[in-house]
């Protein structure tokens, strides 16, 4: 079957799907939005327009919908779409909590339609570089991974400012950052979760969080996001007993660092530094650490739609399964509990 997509919500992400899904052979069958300005844009761009979701769901040409509406609408829209016989893709987060997701999954199963979430950042090149290093043992036994995302832009906008609409950064980027860590290590179980969640500039919703996941494979993952840290740190750091990997930014600048032969042969000695005498933290001599390029990876966000097409035509399994989406939401719920109590939460 050919995917004939209905886009419910024609904001920034709705337009992204309209412009990019066709690269995977998807036909944009219709779009809808309740805002007059966005309706006008859709008509000017040549799309079939509906002014309500109900009208779009009644269109027999539409066989799949993508929900690019505020987070609090996902559950009701998903259930309504399933009852209309449409395959359902939600933007992330798929739901506001595990209970909502379970209701959505049940409705889709009852209707016999496909259901997934657009966790597009599983195709981010920066993350896939770290995953490749993990999968191929390029750093030896990894003991820590840091995923950090900082911005000096400060304030959020539109409905993201309000708790009742599912605003805040954990619902926005937190879903992605948690999903990336769990996707990177699919066979590892989370043992415990500690979280610090703050409202730095925003009254209602979080704009800073630090989440620490202790995994049963010996990795401790640190996830930190802020909309108001003004000097950015590397996007990724992964350290193992055979090297350290740094990815500086989304542009994937960075290197792998290893101990050079010179450093391995140095005798133990105390060195005077600006901080006083030290042996372990003395400056590394020239040649003591060697630098290697990051591993190469090829990726494309539109592979998400290629996979959906394969699933609907019986050629593959979904790369984003609902139990995986559920696990991310469970981690988010545990993080909120930890932040509330100030204590680590045991998990799984």
């Amino acid at each position: 079957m050919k995917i004939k997509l209905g886009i419910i919500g024609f904001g920034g992400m709705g337009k992204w799907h309209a412009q990019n899904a066709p690269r995977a052979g998807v036909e944009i069958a219709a779009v809808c939005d309740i805002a007059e300005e966005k309706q006008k844009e859709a008509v000017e761009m040549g799309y079939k327009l509906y002014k309500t979701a109900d009208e779009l769901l009644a269109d027999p040409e539409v066989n799949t919908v993508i929900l690019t509406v505020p987070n609090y609408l996902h559950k009701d829209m998903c259930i309504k779409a399933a009852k209309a016989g449409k395959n359902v893709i939600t933007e992330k987060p798929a739901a506001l909590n595990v209970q909502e997701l379970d209701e959505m999954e049940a409705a889709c199963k009852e209707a016999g339609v496909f259901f997934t979430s657009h966790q597009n950042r599983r195709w981010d090149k920066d993350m896939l570089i770290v995953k490749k290093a993990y999968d191929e043992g390029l750093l030896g036994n990894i003991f820590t991974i840091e995923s950090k995302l900082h911005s000096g832009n400060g304030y959020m906008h539109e409905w993201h400012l309000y708790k009742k609409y599912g605003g805040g950064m954990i619902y926005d980027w937190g879903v992605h950052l948690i999903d990336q860590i769990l996707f990177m290590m699919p066979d590892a179980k989370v043992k415990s979760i500690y979280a610090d969640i703050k409202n730095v500039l925003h009254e209602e919703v979080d704009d800073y969080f630090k989440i620490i996941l202790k995994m049963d494979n010996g990795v401790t993952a640190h996830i930190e996001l802020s909309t108001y840290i003004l000097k950015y740190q590397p996007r990724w750091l992964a350290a193992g007993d055979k090297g350290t990997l740094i990815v500086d930014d989304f542009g994937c600048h960075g290197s792998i660092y290893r101990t050079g032969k010179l450093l391995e042969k140095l005798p133990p000695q105390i060195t005077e530094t600006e901080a006083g005498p030290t042996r372990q933290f003395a400056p590394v001599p020239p040649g003591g650490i060697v630098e290697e390029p990051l591993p190469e990876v090829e990726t494309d966000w539109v592979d998400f739609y290629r996979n959906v097409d394969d699933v609907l035509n019986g050629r593959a399994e979904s790369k984003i399964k609902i139990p995986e989406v559920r696990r991310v939401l469970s981690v988010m719920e545990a993080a909120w509990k930890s932040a509330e109590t100030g204590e680590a939460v045991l998990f799984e």
Side-chain angles (χ1 to χ4, degrees):
M1 67 176 281
K2 182 181 180 68
I3 299 174
K4 297 185 177 181
L5 190 67
I7 301 173
I8 300 179
F10 202 57
M13 284 308 298
K15 292 183 182 69
W16 186 91
H17 288 281
Q19 292 163 5
N20 287 278
R23 291 203 290 121
V26 173
E27 177 184 331
I28 307 302
V31 302
C32 81
D33 202 289
I34 60 173
E36 289 186 9
E37 180 182 342
K38 292 172 184 175
Q39 292 171 0
K40 183 180 177 182
E41 285 182 280
V43 171
E44 289 174 350
M45 295 169 74
Y47 297 115
K48 183 197 293 186
L49 172 70
Y50 292 109
K51 296 184 178 181
T52 69
D54 288 342
E55 290 174 332
L56 184 146
L57 292 174
D59 186 338
E61 286 296 306
V62 174
N63 58 31
T64 305
V65 296
I66 173 75
L67 305 180
T68 54
V69 292
N71 298 335
Y72 79 109
L73 295 173
H74 286 185
K75 186 190 85 166
D76 290 346
M77 288 279 190
C78 173
I79 293 172
K80 188 177 288 189
K83 289 180 177 179
K86 314 299 185 185
N87 300 304
V88 183
I89 305 167
T90 67
E91 264 301 335
K92 54 76 207 167
L96 295 181
N97 51 55
V98 169
Q99 182 179 337
E100 282 194 1
L101 183 72
D102 289 347
E103 292 178 39
M104 294 158 71
E105 183 182 25
C108 290
K109 283 183 176 178
E110 183 178 348
V113 298
F114 174 65
F115 174 39
T116 192
S117 181
H118 184 236
Q119 289 285 14
N120 57 302
R121 295 200 175 274
R122 289 192 185 185
W123 284 268
D124 277 7
K125 186 174 181 179
D126 56 286
M127 182 275 296
L128 289 174
I129 287 172
V130 185
K131 179 171 172 57
K132 184 171 184 177
Y134 175 84
D135 289 343
E136 298 182 4
L138 301 183
L139 306 177
N141 295 314
I142 293 177
F143 56 88
T144 187
I145 296 174
E146 297 181 5
S147 169
K148 295 187 177 182
L149 192 59
H150 298 152
S151 169
N153 289 331
Y155 287 97
M156 287 175 267
H157 303 282
E158 299 177 325
W159 59 266
H160 293 280
L161 290 165
Y162 304 103
K163 191 172 182 178
K164 66 181 181 179
Y165 298 138
M169 291 311 298
I170 288 185
Y171 276 137
D172 190 358
W173 269 91
V175 180
H176 285 311
L177 302 184
I178 294 167
D179 182 67
Q180 286 182 333
I181 291 292
L182 300 183
F183 171 68
M184 190 180 296
M185 301 177 281
D187 297 325
K189 293 184 178 180
V190 181
K191 293 173 63 178
S192 68
I193 298 169
Y194 176 80
D196 180 24
I197 302 172
K198 298 182 186 299
N199 301 52
V200 178
L201 298 179
H202 298 81
E203 293 183 12
E204 284 196 29
V205 294
D206 63 281
D207 51 19
Y208 171 89
F209 58 80
K210 172 87 169 184
I211 300 173
I212 300 174
L213 307 178
K214 290 186 71 69
M215 316 294 287
D216 71 350
N217 61 353
V219 175
T220 301
H222 301 254
I223 302 171
E224 183 181 69
L225 176 144
S226 174
T227 66
Y228 203 62
I229 287 181
L230 307 182
K231 178 66 175 176
Y232 308 157
Q233 297 182 50
R235 173 69 184 89
W236 292 94
L237 179 149
D241 58 8
K242 300 297 182 184
T244 298
L245 177 150
I246 301 287
V247 181
D248 288 315
D249 47 38
F250 289 135
C252 301
H253 303 97
S255 299
I256 291 177
Y257 300 90
R258 303 192 191 279
T259 304
K261 294 295 183 184
L262 175 63
L263 189 60
E264 291 175 8
K265 294 178 180 178
L266 281 177
Q269 58 185 5
I270 294 177
T271 303
E272 287 291 334
T273 71
E274 292 182 359
T278 179
R279 178 183 291 118
Q280 196 64 51
F281 297 98
V284 176
I289 293 178
V290 295
E291 186 175 345
E292 299 175 6
L294 294 171
E296 292 290 332
V297 300
E298 295 296 329
T299 186
D300 184 349
W301 272 12
V302 175
D303 282 345
F304 169 84
Y305 275 108
R306 296 186 180 104
N307 175 244
V308 172
D309 181 70
D310 285 342
V311 172
L312 294 179
N313 287 285
R315 296 188 295 265
E317 292 186 353
S318 177
K319 290 189 175 180
I320 301 174
K321 300 176 177 63
I322 296 304
E324 298 169 344
V325 176
R326 192 178 195 278
R327 189 178 181 213
V328 172
L329 288 171
S330 296
V331 169
M332 290 166 58
E333 290 183 358
W336 277 310
K337 182 179 178 182
S338 173
E340 214 174 286
T341 63
E343 298 178 352
V345 174
L346 296 179
F347 195 77
E348 293 190 353

